[in-house]
Every structure is written in structure tokens, then in C-alpha cells.
Amino acid sequence: MSDLKQWEPENDTFWQQEGNRIATRNLWISIPSLLCGFAVWMMWSIISVQMLNLGFPYSASELFTLAAIAGLSGATLRIPASFFVRLCGGRYTIFLTTSLLMIPAFGTGIALQDPNTPLWVFQLMALLSGIGGGNFAASMSNISFFYPKKKQGLALGMNAGLGNFGVTSMQILIPLFMTFGAFTLVGGGDPMVLQKASGTLIGSIPAGSETWVQNAGFLWLLLLVPLAFAIWFGMNNIHTEEVTPKLPSAVGSFSIILAMYGIGLATSVLGLWLILPASANGSGFSIPKELVLVLVPLATVMALKFLPGAIRTSLERQYRIFNNKHTWVMSVLYVMTFGSFIGFAAALPLSIQVIFGYSHIMVDGVMTHNTPNPNGPSALTYAWIAPFIGALIRPVGGWISDRLGGALVTQVCAVVMVIAALGAAYFMQQAYQSATPEQYFMPFFLLFLLLFAASGIGNASTFKTIAVVFPKEQAGPVLGWTSAVAAYGAFYIPQVFGEQIKAATPEYAMVGFAVFYALCLVLNWFYYLRKSGEFYNP
């Protein structure tokens, strides 16, 4: 496709004559690309459950680290990805970052064929799966440049919301594809036998059944290969001063992207090594994860500044967003919405399995949590519904925010999330002390559906506020940066759940999140909902 050397979406005549058509085409190719990114990024939340059901030789806490590793690398890679469009062009960026997903998809399929595969191999594949998480920042930044401000709420809500369906699609398709030998004719491996009951969205699968767990990786190649062609022949670079002023060749762009992603992966590996215990191939230093979550993005931002020439000059210009206090305020608010969505999506399946899939009974005066519960709900049957609702409602959140104002919608979402988190904490506490935890599952699950719905609407409303607060040139990088910070929820929330479940107090995690949501409520009111605030919105 030709590079667009004139792009004036705020010009109504230009928009009606050709802008709307071009923007729509780019949006509808961007959406499935982002969907696959989310699917590959978050697939470890389902794979880890099935590895537990198959008796892979890893503890539940070690399996929680796989989703956490993908979460941390995906969040960190969003930092360089925030600046790709201005440096490399949207078409080149989306093509390469989507094509790179074939590596963890294929590698994971190979690794899962052998239960004796070392843990570090799965950790490496989880690390590379983070490329899918990084794609979000580039995708949102790219689409923001195609649309006028008055239509950005809906456009970004569509891109992010339908892209977020990658989580739901993954949670539906992976369990279904694992029930049959979809790839045996092309060397897709032999089935394994379930040691514990599993399930799909249509019901449970008893222990003793055959499963093709390797299909969890292979199936994404069916989408990624044709998508690479669609992106290359259907999308555009916007070669203008405001978007990509100095567009390199395709090879030059790819080199820049790979170099910057290499920095993000290196800082992710360092951070993970500091956090993880020695048993999970970490340092065993027990460095607080909160400290590492500050050091990793800081190290990434600083390391990127050492890149030479025009890259460094462009980054220094874009780094001006860090001098604006609203960059940091919006980062906190987006952690509340998207950070919760992606973090709970990563942690919910295994949490359901551990909390409700076992009976919690007293043995010799000690509460135990390792007796299988024959009446427990299947995590793979229910877990997909929550992110499905969160993603489905996100475009609605964008539409409402275009009409009522982003800050007002964010405020309502914050109130709902405080209430839902506290309610979920109560039922988690009751379930984890009960021999029949299934009796508490439905109220727990309904509260999580409410939590996901509020986070989905809030995802769109915070982006609407960003479009109001920041000038066009800064809005794209700010969208990418805030999404990067928020994506650390995909690392932090599974880690917190894993730690609190190990400590037999899973409810503490939800109480802590509720306190954070209350803080966000105050911040949003002070900066954007007070009539005397600098950016009163609405």
C-alpha cells in the first residue's frame, strides 16, 4: 500500500471524501492483529491450568509464574512499542510485531508435546509471548492518528475492545482445540491423558480423557499467517510531520523495532531474575516485586536513550510526555481499568481451579487445600465469560464517553470496582475455608463479571480523557505509555494471587485492589471531574 503523505482527519471535507474509508480499512485489519496479540500473550493462563490437570512436574506457584512472566515482558515491551509508529510507520510496525508472534506460538506447541520439557523452556516461550502484549501500545497509537478527536473514543474503543476479545477467543478456542488432534497430519504430536478433570465452554471433561495440549500454541498459526499478508497489502504508513516525519525503508524499520524490543526483553529478563525464586530459575534474592516494577520500566526508558542517531533524537522529543504530570495521573487511572482487566484475565482461571476445585478441610487440626473437589466448577468452562464481557462492553464505554465525558464515566466505574472487589474478597475468604467451596462460586463469579464490565467501560473512558488532555502529537505516545504501565497488572495480579493463595489468604489480594481503586476515584475527581480542575471533563 502507498504511504499517506497527506493526512488531515480534522478536515471534514478530507474525512468524508477519503479519510474515513482509509481509516476504516486500517482499523479492521488492526483489530484481528491485536486480537491475536492478546491471545498469544495471555494463553498461559489456560495452558498452566491444563498443565496442572495433566500432572506436569511443576507446583501451582511455579505455573502461576508463567502467566506472570508473559505479563511482565508484555508490559515492558509496550514501552518501546509506544514510539514505534513515529519512528517506523504504522504498517511496518504492525506487520513485524504481528509476524513475530509465530515464534512463541510454534515454540509453545513443540514444548508442550513433552511433559519433561524443562521449566526454563516454558519460561522462554512465556517471555516471547509478551510480544503480543507489546503490540497493544503500537496498535492504539497507530489508530489514534487515523481518526479525528471527536471519533477517537469509539475508534479506540473498537480497536481495544475487539482486540481484547483475544483473551476470550483464546479461553474458548484453546480448550476446544485441545479435545482433538487438529494438527496430527502435519506432525502435531500425540495426545496425553488427563489426571484431573478438565473442561471446555460446553462442559467438563473427565479424568482419563485424551487431550492435545500442544494445540494451544499451534492453532494461532492458522490466523497469524494470513494476517501477515493482510497487513502488508492492506494497511498504510502515515508519512507526515505529525505522525512519521522520517519514514525509513522496511528493512530499516524492522531493524529499529527489533533493536528496541531486544532492549525491552533484556530488562524483562533482568527483572524476572531478581524476582523469581531459585526453584523457578530466578536469583532467589527475594527482591520486592514492587521495587522491580519501578526499576524495569525505568531501566528500559533509560536504555532506549542510548540508541544512536535519529532514533535517539526522536525519542528525546517524545520523552517530553514524562514532563507532564497528567501522563502520570492517567497512567494510574489506566492501571485501575486495563491493569485490572488484563491481570484478572491472567489470574482468574487458575484461581478458580485452586480455590473452588479443591475441598478445604481440617486434617489433624490443620486446614488443608489439596483434596480434589468432585463438585468444583471447571475453570475452563467459566473463565472466558468474564473477559468476554469486559471486551464486549468496551466499545460501548467509548460511545458513552464520547457523549457524557471520559472523567464522569471513569468515576462511576471506580465506585463499582471498589464494591465488586470487596464483595469478591468476602466470598473468596468463605470458599477457601470451606469443604464445599462450590456454594460460594456463583456470587464470587457474578461479582467478577461486574468487575470486568466496569474495567472494560473504564478502559475506553480513560482513553477519551487522554484525547482531551493531550495535544495530537503527544496523545499517541501517552496512549502507549499508559497502556505499558497498566499492562504490568498482567504480571502483578497473578503474582499477588499466587502469593496470597500460598499464604491461605486470597481475599487479602482483593482488599488491596479495592483500596487502590478508591485512591483512583479521588485522583480522577481532583484532576478531571472538579469544575475548577485544569481539564474539567465533561
Side-chain angles (χ1 to χ4, degrees):
M1 301 297 294
S2 61
D3 298 332
L4 304 173
K5 297 185 179 180
Q6 176 194 6
W7 191 252
E8 302 173 2
E10 303 296 343
N11 182 327
D12 288 339
T13 302
F14 173 84
W15 181 253
Q16 294 297 329
Q17 288 181 350
E18 56 181 317
N20 186 26
R21 173 179 54 82
I22 296 172
T24 300
R25 184 184 67 242
N26 279 268
L27 175 63
W28 284 106
I29 298 175
S30 175
I31 287 171
S33 303
L34 187 55
L35 183 147
C36 284
F38 270 101
V40 173
W41 183 31
M42 301 305 295
M43 65 183 179
W44 293 97
S45 64
I46 295 298
I47 292 173
S48 59
V49 171
Q50 200 71 335
M51 290 171 73
L52 186 66
N53 292 334
L54 284 166
F56 274 65
Y58 310 116
S59 66
S61 60
E62 288 174 332
L63 292 175
F64 263 112
T65 67
L66 295 177
I69 288 169
L72 187 137
S73 68
T76 305
L77 292 180
R78 286 187 177 194
I79 297 173
S82 302
F83 309 107
F84 284 166
V85 174
R86 186 164 182 84
L87 289 169
C88 307
R91 171 178 170 237
Y92 293 157
T93 296
I94 305 304
F95 171 79
L96 181 61
T97 56
T98 301
S99 299
L100 285 173
L101 296 174
M102 298 179 196
I103 299 172
F106 181 75
T108 297
I110 296 296
L112 286 170
Q113 294 183 50
D114 183 2
N116 296 313
T117 299
L119 180 62
W120 70 264
V121 175
F122 293 116
Q123 291 175 322
L124 176 61
M125 290 300 104
L127 181 80
L128 295 177
S129 295
I131 293 171
N135 290 3
F136 181 84
S139 179
M140 294 298 285
S141 177
N142 186 47
I143 293 302
S144 74
F145 288 122
F146 275 97
Y147 282 84
K149 282 190 175 183
K150 65 183 179 181
K151 294 183 178 294
Q152 281 191 16
L154 180 58
L156 292 173
M158 290 280 289
N159 192 52
L162 298 181
N164 283 354
F165 268 120
V167 180
T168 300
S169 301
M170 173 273 299
Q171 291 179 334
I172 292 174
L173 291 176
I174 286 180
L176 288 175
F177 266 78
M178 288 192 297
T179 61
F180 63 100
F183 303 99
T184 52
L185 294 179
V186 290
D190 298 322
M192 300 180 193
V193 177
L194 289 168
Q195 296 184 11
K196 297 187 181 74
S198 182
T200 68
L201 79 164
I202 56 177
S204 69
I205 300 173
S209 302
E210 291 186 335
T211 188
W212 285 259
V213 66
Q214 61 269 26
N215 291 355
F218 291 144
L219 81 91
W220 303 111
L221 298 174
L222 299 177
L223 298 174
L224 290 169
V225 173
L227 263 176
F229 285 94
I231 295 166
W232 188 255
F233 293 106
M235 294 191 77
N236 301 92
N237 296 310
I238 303 178
H239 188 7
T240 66
E241 182 64 29
E242 192 176 48
V243 184
T244 310
K246 298 180 180 179
L247 181 65
S249 66
V251 173
S253 294
F254 296 163
S255 299
I256 293 170
I257 291 169
L258 291 173
M260 294 175 70
Y261 259 177
I263 290 173
L265 288 171
T267 56
S268 297
V269 169
L270 177 61
L272 289 164
W273 181 74
L274 290 172
I275 290 175
L276 293 177
S279 61
N281 299 314
S283 64
F285 292 163
S286 299
I287 304 295
K289 57 186 174 298
E290 292 80 5
L291 176 61
V292 172
L293 289 183
V294 173
L295 294 177
V296 169
L298 180 63
T300 305
V301 168
M302 296 304 295
L304 289 171
K305 291 188 70 172
F306 285 99
L307 290 171
I311 303 175
R312 179 175 181 175
T313 302
S314 179
L315 285 176
E316 287 177 345
R317 181 176 178 178
Q318 295 184 76
Y319 277 7
R320 293 173 188 170
I321 65 173
F322 300 128
N323 298 325
N324 190 332
K325 65 183 178 184
H326 294 285
T327 298
W328 304 103
V329 175
M330 291 308 307
S331 295
V332 172
L333 295 180
Y334 200 56
V335 167
M336 176 187 73
T337 57
F338 180 78
S340 297
F341 172 87
I342 204 66
F344 288 137
L348 185 60
L350 200 53
S351 297
I352 291 174
Q353 185 77 4
V354 173
I355 296 173
F356 299 95
Y358 293 89
S359 297
H360 312 287
I361 56 178
M362 299 292 292
V363 177
D364 297 328
V366 177
M367 179 64 72
T368 63
H369 308 281
N370 54 8
T371 303
N373 177 16
N375 300 314
S378 169
L380 303 188
T381 300
Y382 289 96
W384 67 273
I385 300 174
F388 172 81
I389 289 176
L392 181 67
I393 207 168
R394 185 164 182 168
V396 177
W399 179 80
I400 295 173
S401 299
D402 280 342
R403 283 153 180 77
L404 300 182
L408 178 60
V409 176
T410 301
Q411 194 77 352
V412 174
C413 291
V415 172
V416 173
M417 292 177 74
V418 170
I419 296 171
L422 291 175
Y426 170 78
F427 289 109
M428 290 170 76
Q429 180 187 38
Q430 296 299 307
Y432 212 62
Q433 301 296 320
S434 174
T436 56
E438 67 275 9
Q439 64 181 310
Y440 301 104
F441 175 71
M442 196 49 64
F444 159 86
F445 188 62
L446 291 175
L447 284 164
F448 255 89
L449 296 186
L450 182 61
L451 197 58
F452 269 85
S455 71
I457 294 173
N459 281 343
S461 66
T462 47
F463 276 159
K464 177 62 178 178
T465 301
I466 287 174
V468 171
V469 171
F470 295 92
K472 186 82 172 179
E473 181 182 342
Q474 290 190 349
V478 170
L479 285 169
W481 169 259
T482 55
S483 74
V485 174
Y488 281 105
F491 165 77
Y492 188 77
I493 289 178
Q495 280 288 94
V496 170
F497 268 114
E499 291 171 1
Q500 294 303 321
I501 285 174
K502 189 174 182 180
T505 55
E507 69 278 5
Y508 285 7
M510 296 306 298
V511 172
F513 299 142
V515 172
F516 172 69
Y517 300 151
L519 172 63
C520 292
L521 188 151
V522 174
L523 276 177
N524 182 67
W525 170 82
F526 183 82
Y527 283 104
Y528 308 119
L529 206 54
R530 279 190 311 140
K531 290 188 177 180
S532 58
E534 184 180 354
F535 288 101
Y536 174 61
N537 168 43

